[in-house]
């Protein structure tokens, strides 16, 4: 089974802090994400800088786009992004117009999705979703468990590449053993550590343990 990617989510409040962490941990990960918080603070410049730092890596623009799909996608693409996120509650028209500009559209699943919508996303050619536990839900006591695994498997059966994120720790990874997850996205569990490179290496080792 293909090894899932490891993606770092850079959700710093300043570009300078994000660059410091990216410099350390970026070389260890497979995909580098300009997180929503960073993009709101530093704009498209954050994507441009990450693209310059990592010309060979996949760069994600985590806009969680809700409207003006083609404009936001064009801006992300021009800045150097390969993938861009749209929120699950965006209209099909928004998703379609984003997809017409940037092939790598990822629908971020929060609370507005259902299986009929997911079928429509497939029909318009979207083949990536991000299964997400929100920060706020986790803070309110949600935990990762079998219910999440079952949903992820069903999306995979529908033909989606599924990324998994939201408060991931090393301990969460083994829950998905045997499931062809596309990417594990980790933010604070890497960026909040004193040694982000070592934390990213620990994630890669943990992923390799179960997806040899
Ligand atoms: C927040 C996000 C984060 O980028 C994602 O959840 C990863 O961050 P963390 O591992 O710190 O939860 O999309 O909206």
């Amino acid at each position: 089974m293909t090894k899932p990617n490891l993606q770092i989510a850079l959700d710093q409040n300043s570009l300078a802090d994000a660059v410091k962490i990216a410099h350390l941990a970026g070389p260890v990960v497979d995909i580098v994400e300009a997180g929503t918080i960073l993009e709101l603070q530093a704009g498209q410049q954050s994507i441009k800088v990450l693209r310059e730092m990592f010309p060979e890596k996949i760069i994600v623009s985590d806009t969680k786009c809700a409207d003006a799909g083609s404009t936001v996608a064009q801006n992300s693409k021009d800045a150097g992004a390969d993938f861009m996120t749209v929120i699950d509650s965006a209209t099909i028209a928004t998703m379609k117009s984003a997809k017409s500009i940037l092939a790598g559209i990822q629908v971020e699943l929060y609370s507005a999705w259902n299986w009929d919508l997911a079928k429509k996303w497939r029909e318009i050619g979207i083949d990536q979703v991000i299964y997400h536990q929100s920060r706020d839900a986790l803070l309110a006591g949600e935990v990762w468990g079998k219910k999440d695994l079952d949903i992820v498997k069903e999306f995979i059966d529908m033909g989606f590449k599924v990324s998994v994120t939201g408060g991931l720790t090393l301990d969460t990874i083994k829950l998905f053993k045997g499931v062809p997850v596309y990417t594990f996205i980790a933010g604070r569990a890497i960026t909040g550590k004193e040694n982000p490179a070592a934390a990213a290496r620990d994630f890669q080792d943990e992923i390799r343990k179960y997806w040899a």
Side-chain angles (χ1 to χ4, degrees), residues 9 11 33 62 64 108 110 132 135 165-168 186-188:
D11 274 309
E33 168 194 322
D62 190 16
K64 296 184 172 47
E108 194 141 7
Y110 280 95
H132 204 295
R135 277 180 188 225
T165 192
L168 291 188
R188 292 160 291 174

Side-chain angles (χ1 to χ4, degrees), residues 1-22:
M1 197 179 289
T2 312
K3 175 196 157 290
N5 297 301
L6 174 63
Q7 177 172 327
I8 186 170
L10 295 165
D11 274 309
Q12 283 57 54
N13 271 314
S14 80
L15 185 51
D17 285 348
V19 165
K20 259 187 237 157
I21 294 167

Side-chain angles (χ1 to χ4, degrees), residues 107 109 113-115 117-119 121-122 127-131 148-162:
V107 180
L109 306 167
W113 64 273
N114 58 52
W115 295 114
L117 269 177
K119 271 185 215 141
W121 301 337
R122 287 299 289 127
D127 66 352
Q128 293 198 58
V129 292
I130 301 176
Y131 185 71
D148 305 299
L149 207 56
D150 290 345
I151 294 171
V152 166
K153 282 183 188 160
E154 185 128 9
F155 272 106
I156 293 172
D157 287 347
M158 288 177 76
F160 286 100
K161 292 181 196 165
V162 182

